[in-house]
Amino acid sequence: HPVTPMDEADLRRHLARQTHLPIGSVDVRAFFAGRAAQQLDAELAAGARAIVFDGLDAAMLQQTASLISDAAADRPVFAVGSSGLTYGLLSHWRTMNDIGDAPTQSPAAAADRLLVLSGSCSPVTARQIQAARSQGFAAIRIGPRGPWTQEMETALAALARGESVVLYTALGSPDTTTAGGDEHSRALGEMLRKILLRSAVRRVVIAGGDTSTHVVGQLGFRALSFAAPLAPGAPLCRAWAPGSPLDGLELALKGGQIGPDDFFVRVRDGGWPGTSA
C-alpha cells in the first residue's frame, strides 16, 4: 500500500509501531485445537492489552465475534476490523437471539448520473476507472494541486449533458506528480461539494479509504445509513444532513482494493450485486 506499506507478516509486530500496548494473539492453531477461549485468557493473564485474532473461515470469525461480545459484557471493548467483524458480530447476536433476523433488502435503483471521485492508487480502482470510461463515463484526471477550476467545469459540463463522471488523481501506481495527504483530500472534498451543489447529482462514489475519510468530512453529514447492497465492504448508503441540499444523497465509500472491475457501472445502473439492472 502506498501509504501504509505492509512489510511484516506478524501483525503484532506491525501494529506495535502504532501503540505502546502489549499485543497478544489468538491464532489459527488455537482455533483448530478448539482452544481459542483458553488462548485469549492466557494472553490477557500474561499482560496483553490488545489482541490480534487470526482465522480462516466463517466459523472462526463467528467464534471471534463471540469472544469479543462476551468480553464486552463486563467492560467496554474497542474492536477494529474489516466489515467481516460486523458480519461476525451480527451472526453471533442473531444466534443468541439478541437481535432479530436480517431485514429484507431491495436492490439499488438506477441513477440518472453517477459522480465518482477517486483518490486511490490501487490497480483495482484503475481497472474500474478504465471500465467506466469504456461504458460512457467522462474520465477526468485531477492534477496534484488545486483548485482544479478547469477540471470542475469540465465535469459540470459533462453532468449537464447527462453523462456520468469519474474524477481521478491516479490511474494505478502513483507517479511523481501525484499529491496526497490530509490537506489534499480535504481540498478534494471541497471540490466535490461544489460540484454536487451545482449539478444536483444524487449518487456519488468516493474511492480510496483515506480519501473517503477526509472527503466525507467536508460534506456536512450527520450520519450514513444502509440503503442497498453493492459489493462486499462497499454498500450504497444514504446521507443524513438535515437542512442541507445534500440530505438524502446516495453515497458509496469504496476502499482501493474493493469491488469488481465494473463496480462504477453497476453503481450507476443499479440492480442486485453481480447482475445487470
Side-chain angles (χ1 to χ4, degrees):
H1 190 283
V3 177
T4 54
M6 184 63 183
D7 53 13
E8 171 55 61
D10 188 332
L11 286 179
R12 293 171 300 178
R13 295 182 178 181
H14 185 72
L15 295 173
R17 303 169 185 173
Q18 304 177 41
T19 178
H20 295 299
L21 295 177
I23 303 175
S25 72
V26 177
D27 60 26
V28 290
R29 294 173 297 180
F31 281 109
F32 279 129
R35 294 185 53 80
Q38 292 90 330
Q39 181 66 33
L40 174 60
D41 289 341
E43 292 283 3
L44 293 174
R49 297 285 308 284
I51 302 291
V52 174
F53 288 91
D54 204 355
L56 296 175
D57 57 28
M60 294 181 186
L61 178 62
Q62 185 160 350
Q63 189 174 357
T64 298
S66 174
L67 292 171
I68 292 173
S69 185
D70 289 347
D74 300 323
R75 62 189 185 280
V77 172
F78 179 63
V80 180
S82 68
S83 56
L85 175 62
T86 304
Y87 294 137
L89 287 169
L90 291 174
S91 177
H92 170 67
W93 291 333
R94 289 193 177 104
T95 299
M96 301 301 294
N97 294 317
D98 292 333
I99 60 174
D101 294 334
T104 302
Q105 296 181 353
S106 299
D112 62 340
R113 299 165 296 168
L114 176 67
L115 176 59
V116 179
L117 175 62
S118 172
S120 171
C121 298
S122 163
V124 173
T125 302
R127 293 195 298 270
Q128 292 165 344
I129 294 170
Q130 292 165 338
R133 178 188 287 151
S134 72
Q135 294 297 312
F137 281 63
I140 303 167
R141 176 69 180 265
I142 301 173
R145 298 288 181 268
W148 306 298
T149 302
Q150 183 57 55
E151 293 89 341
M152 186 170 66
E153 293 301 327
T154 301
L156 286 166
L159 292 168
R161 295 192 297 268
E163 299 175 19
S164 293
V165 170
V166 180
L167 291 159
Y168 64 97
T169 61
L171 198 59
S173 299
D175 57 33
T176 57
T177 65
T178 302
D182 298 354
E183 184 177 349
H184 181 260
S185 295
R186 285 193 290 269
L188 291 176
E190 293 172 2
M191 178 186 67
L192 178 63
R193 179 179 177 83
K194 292 176 183 177
I195 294 175
L196 290 173
L197 292 176
R198 290 179 58 184
S199 68
V201 166
R202 300 303 294 168
R203 185 174 294 176
V204 62
V205 175
I206 305 174
D210 294 330
T211 303
S212 295
T213 297
H214 295 295
V215 167
V216 167
Q218 306 304 306
L219 300 180
F221 301 150
R222 178 175 297 178
L224 297 176
S225 60
F226 176 86
L230 293 175
L236 187 66
C237 298
R238 181 189 186 277
W240 295 82
S244 166
L246 299 183
D247 185 47
L249 181 75
E250 293 180 332
L251 180 73
L253 306 176
K254 187 196 82 71
Q257 298 288 92
I258 296 294
D261 289 355
D262 63 346
F263 179 76
F264 298 151
V265 179
R266 293 184 184 186
V267 179
R268 179 193 64 184
D269 295 345
W272 289 109
T275 64
S276 300

